[in-house]
Amino acid sequence: SVGQLAAGVAHEVGNPLAVILGYAELLDDDDLDEDFRQEIAPKIIRQVERMRVIIRELLDFSRDDSQQAISPVDLIACVEEAISLASTTKRTRGIRITNDLPESLPRVGAIHSQIVQVLINLILNAADALTSVERDRIDRGEITLMGWHDTQRDQAILRVADNGPGIPKEIISKLFDPFFTTKGVGKGTGQGLSIARDIIVKLHGGVLAVENRPEGGASFTIRLPLSTQPSPVTDEEPAAPKCPFSKASLA
């Protein structure tokens, strides 16, 4: 998955680099109007900032998180990062990805990069389902990420929904089985959803569920317990749980 994202990032960085190169060539022109010259500098800064954000997100995603501890995590930031990274890949080209989260959500006890990993997996799986849809069935593939606070259960909920063909009833119960895949040979390992489930359930004490939407398409729902206020750390207290998962293929 890191390789796929890196290829997408290389493409995304190429666009602002081309813009910067064009501006640099303009600045090298001795006859350039001074007022226009002053307008170019902030434009270059914006393009460099765009590249910095893209590269930082990839580095954050690909770093070794095996020693990270559970801590309060902002799910909105996780969703924004996942959408940004997933949008760089060819698998999401031509698909509208919408962030429909509220302005704020309570923080959950989690590992940021692991939640991003799960979300990217769900987004890319939805994108694969949408690319298999005949174009005359839907005008455009759409993936929507939603979130809310379940006050009764005191949980934060994230949902990744698409307007694709949905999941056949005969296989929906097998989706989280290790090595189960509907993709062709060489196109998927069947481990992505199994790893995603283990991350949510075993590591974070949450729930990952799937269902078909009445209006069409599939919907994956993540339930996570809210972060509690940390207690003062003493020598007698056990260390925070570490992440047991390594980066694996999300295909």
Side-chain angles (χ1 to χ4, degrees):
S1 68
V2 172
Q4 289 187 16
L5 294 175
V9 165
H11 174 79
E12 288 296 309
V13 168
N15 292 330
L17 273 177
V19 174
I20 292 172
L21 177 60
Y23 285 143
E25 291 173 345
L26 287 174
L27 289 173
D28 195 43
D29 185 355
D30 294 334
D31 297 330
L32 186 66
D33 180 77
E34 187 61 31
D35 290 338
F36 185 67
R37 188 187 301 274
Q38 292 180 4
E39 293 178 7
I40 289 178
K43 293 180 179 180
I44 291 177
I45 292 173
R46 281 196 297 271
Q47 296 300 322
V48 172
E49 176 63 18
R50 177 184 170 190
M51 290 191 297
R52 187 186 70 84
V53 169
I54 292 172
I55 294 171
R56 185 193 64 216
E57 288 175 345
L58 180 65
L59 290 174
D60 287 345
F61 177 76
S62 60
R63 70 174 182 266
D64 179 13
D65 52 20
S66 60
Q67 299 303 312
Q68 291 188 58
I70 298 290
S71 62
V73 166
D74 181 0
L75 290 178
I76 295 176
C78 290
V79 168
E80 291 174 347
E81 183 175 332
I83 291 176
S84 178
L85 285 170
S87 297
T88 68
T89 69
K90 292 181 179 180
R91 291 162 69 177
T92 58
R93 298 282 163 79
I95 296 173
R96 180 187 294 112
I97 305 177
T98 302
N99 182 348
D100 197 23
L101 269 69
E103 293 184 359
S104 64
L105 279 175
R107 292 177 181 264
V108 299
I111 296 176
H112 176 96
S113 61
Q114 292 287 314
I115 300 301
V116 173
Q117 178 179 352
V118 171
L119 290 170
I120 289 176
N121 172 236
L122 297 179
I123 292 171
L124 294 183
N125 279 349
D128 288 343
L130 288 167
T131 56
S132 68
V133 178
E134 295 180 1
R135 291 296 91 188
D136 58 353
R137 201 185 74 77
I138 57 174
D139 294 332
R140 183 177 185 181
E142 295 182 359
I143 301 172
T144 304
L145 283 84
M146 298 164 274
W148 63 92
H149 177 200
D150 184 342
T151 55
Q152 292 185 341
R153 300 185 183 183
D154 210 24
Q155 296 175 330
I157 301 175
L158 292 178
R159 178 167 292 166
V160 180
D162 64 68
N163 65 337
I167 303 168
K169 293 180 179 180
E170 62 270 18
I171 70 169
I172 196 168
S173 63
K174 303 177 183 178
L175 283 184
F176 297 111
D177 292 349
F179 305 108
F180 176 79
T181 180
T182 59
K183 299 174 184 177
V185 176
K187 294 184 178 181
T189 65
Q191 295 187 77
L193 286 176
S194 175
I195 292 171
R197 180 200 56 191
D198 285 348
I199 289 173
I200 297 300
V201 176
K202 294 182 179 179
L203 177 60
H204 293 95
V207 175
L208 175 59
V210 59
E211 62 181 352
N212 284 317
R213 306 169 68 199
E215 64 272 33
S219 173
F220 286 82
T221 301
I222 300 169
R223 287 182 171 270
L224 292 167
L226 302 187
S227 175
T228 57
Q229 290 293 329
S231 303
V233 177
T234 66
D235 293 338
E236 291 76 23
E237 287 185 340
K242 302 297 183 179
C243 172
F245 301 104
S246 61
K247 283 290 180 286
S249 171
L250 293 177

